[in-house]
Amino acid sequence: MVIPRALRLVFGHPGYRMWAAISFIVLLTFYLMLLPASETGGAVGLVALPFLTVQDVFLAIVMAGLLALTLPLGVYGWRMGSGGGVVGSASGSIVALIAPLLCCSPILPITIAAIAASLPAVGAAATPLQGFIATHELEFYAAAIVLMAWGLQGNARRVLYCECRPVK
């Protein structure tokens, strides 16, 4: 009940609804170009669109939706002066944004490749790690979605906390 109440409160303001809609479109486009990166050899962009699967589209919609809802809640909580201050109100948004970037993008393979290029001994260790990530890709996506939902829940609680406090 926390999330629906917070969404009704925040989206009662037209600016937040517009921001959420625009965020969803931008994030959906971003995830649609990012999620097929394992099929494109790490290439992110329009080149990835032909490699989209139904699973990728579903994951992109879920992740973009969760993040598009989390960001306006975080900003609303921050503007209303939640008890956690700037760091507390933004933490859910940051967790929701960073988690999928680490698991659903070529950041980890690029980092491993950079280490492997500078230290030849690490190169042999990088291949099994990338294989592990590719094998358990769906679990990483699920973990990212759980973290995004957790961020949404935390920001919703802050919004409702702000509702009970007098505005400064």
Side-chain angles (χ1 to χ4, degrees), residues 93-148:
S93 296
I94 291 171
V95 167
L97 183 62
I98 297 299
L101 288 177
L102 291 176
C103 78
C104 310
S105 73
I107 291 174
L108 189 58
I110 288 171
T111 304
I112 291 170
I115 292 170
S118 61
L119 302 170
V122 176
T127 303
L129 182 58
Q130 286 178 327
F132 176 80
I133 291 170
T135 302
H136 301 287
E137 190 174 42
L138 189 57
E139 288 87 352
F140 282 107
Y141 293 148
I145 289 171
V146 167
L147 288 172
M148 293 171 107

Side-chain angles (χ1 to χ4, degrees), residues 5-85:
R5 283 181 50 213
L7 290 175
R8 278 194 302 277
L9 177 66
V10 171
F11 292 144
H13 304 278
Y16 288 103
R17 286 193 306 261
M18 172 101 53
W19 185 16
I22 292 170
S23 296
F24 177 76
I25 292 167
V26 169
L27 291 165
L28 180 63
T29 304
F30 171 73
Y31 283 125
L32 288 173
M33 291 187 292
L34 181 72
L35 291 176
S38 60
E39 286 88 20
T40 63
V44 175
L46 295 176
V47 69
L49 295 180
F51 296 95
L52 281 171
T53 64
V54 174
Q55 176 182 316
D56 290 338
V57 173
F58 175 75
L59 289 170
I61 290 170
V62 170
M63 289 181 183
L66 285 170
L67 195 52
L69 294 175
T70 301
L71 293 173
L73 290 178
V75 170
Y76 182 89
W78 176 69
R79 284 185 174 173
M80 291 297 145
S82 71

